[in-house]
Amino acid sequence: MENHKNVTEFIFTGLWQNRQIELLFFLLFLLCYLAILMGNSVILFTITYSHLIEQPMYYFLCHLSLMDLCYTSTVIPRLIRDLASTRKNISYNECMTQLFTSHLLAGVEIFILVSMALDRYVAIVKPLHYMVIMSRKRCDMLIVTAWILGFWHSIALLLMVLSLPFCGPNHINHYLCDIKPLLKLVCKDVHVVSILAIANSGMVLFAIFIVLLASYILILYSLRTRSSAGKRKALSTCSSHIMVVVLFFGPCIYIYILPAGSENKDKEISVFYTVIAPMLNPLIYTLRNSEMKSAIHKVWSRLSLRVEVSDRIL
């Protein structure tokens, strides 16, 4: 801990320097966060208390919604608080905690998206073996693996940053503690560390994105022999996954594939995967999914009926 003795806290510059714009976006991001909480909670509750939890696709979707809730809760509440305040400070320890938890949860979410792509690949390319390959035990193993890989990624990043000296200045040109803006404050040459950070985040993201795209290309290729109804159903499901993958991976790859010293719009683009993608995910997975919409109607109708009966008894 000697390395950071000259810096006990960091100060975020935030997204904008204009006070009126910050207050406007305070309200906007507050509404976005409420939409994220409501949308992902509805999906989580609906899948958990319906028959959909038995299906691997919805089992993974349930975990994805949980990750969206947890991940956004490590970033957006502080962002909202900072937009309403004049001093946007965060202690060194809190900064390191945010760095670790945000990368842990984002890492888990990435590998859940990989698991969802695997599920769709098996369902469409090997339908006769689907229930054997995607058994509940295997699904549980994929979720545990996602947590292990996410932990490895985030702990490696954290240990890398903890070993660096921060002597000042302490103004982070961002609204959250992330590897690239932190590297700009280090008082020594970070060329090697920057390469390691790109390898840990950017290259891994890019490789996973290519694998996901390849899997969806194989899925689309295998659909050429299917009936029109089968093609429509498969395309509807896959298009939802592809939209979510592009929304999340596109901005992440742009940010983490470039070296720390480069000047770009990192903090503005990061809003796409910290706020916009988690807010849109529930809409993407429900609006075009009749099975999900039906389950939402049944579960919430059953819940309202129970509440009505309880009120009558009281």
Side-chain angles (χ1 to χ4, degrees), residues 52 67 91 112 118 220 229 232 244 250-251 258 266 308 311-312:
L52 295 180
M67 286 304 101
S91 71
I112 288 174
L118 174 65
L220 294 174
R232 278 196 301 272
V244 170
L258 297 174
D266 280 5
E308 188 178 330
D311 289 342
R312 286 179 181 176

Side-chain angles (χ1 to χ4, degrees), residues 134-155:
M134 300 304 296
S135 63
R136 175 48 60 91
K137 184 178 179 180
R138 190 154 287 151
C139 291
D140 289 339
M141 285 175 60
L142 287 169
I143 294 297
V144 171
T145 302
W147 276 97
I148 292 171
L149 294 173
F151 178 79
W152 281 354
H153 159 72
S154 55
I155 198 67

Side-chain angles (χ1 to χ4, degrees), residues 23 101 105 135 142 151 191 202 296 301:
L23 292 174
T101 53
L105 296 168
S135 63
L142 287 169
F151 178 79
H191 181 70
I296 289 172
S301 295

Side-chain angles (χ1 to χ4, degrees), residues 3-7 10 164-170 185-188:
N3 284 331
H4 74 275
K5 61 183 179 182
N6 292 337
V7 173
F10 296 103
L164 299 173
F166 294 94
C167 313
N170 65 339
L185 304 181
V186 175
C187 47
K188 77 168 191 178

Side-chain angles (χ1 to χ4, degrees), residues 113-127:
L113 288 171
V114 173
S115 300
M116 294 175 81
L118 174 65
D119 171 70
R120 290 301 84 202
Y121 176 82
V122 175
I124 294 169
V125 178
K126 298 181 181 293

Side-chain angles (χ1 to χ4, degrees), residues 92-200:
Y92 178 90
N93 290 334
E94 286 175 333
C95 183
M96 295 302 109
T97 301
Q98 187 184 59
L99 174 71
F100 174 77
T101 53
S102 61
H103 275 269
L104 168 64
L105 296 168
V108 174
E109 181 160 343
I110 285 166
F111 291 109
I112 288 174
L113 288 171
V114 173
S115 300
M116 294 175 81
L118 174 65
D119 171 70
R120 290 301 84 202
Y121 176 82
V122 175
I124 294 169
V125 178
K126 298 181 181 293
L128 297 178
H129 306 284
Y130 178 68
M131 294 312 296
V132 175
I133 297 173
M134 300 304 296
S135 63
R136 175 48 60 91
K137 184 178 179 180
R138 190 154 287 151
C139 291
D140 289 339
M141 285 175 60
L142 287 169
I143 294 297
V144 171
T145 302
W147 276 97
I148 292 171
L149 294 173
F151 178 79
W152 281 354
H153 159 72
S154 55
I155 198 67
L157 216 55
L158 177 65
L159 293 174
M160 194 188 304
V161 175
L162 287 175
S163 67
L164 299 173
F166 294 94
C167 313
N170 65 339
H171 284 72
I172 299 177
N173 186 24
H174 215 292
Y175 59 88
L176 60 87
C177 284
D178 204 1
I179 182 68
K180 283 180 66 178
L182 282 171
L183 287 180
K184 293 179 182 179
L185 304 181
V186 175
C187 47
K188 77 168 191 178
D189 182 58
V190 293
H191 181 70
V192 174
V193 178
S194 182
I195 292 171
L196 291 174
I198 290 171
N200 181 282

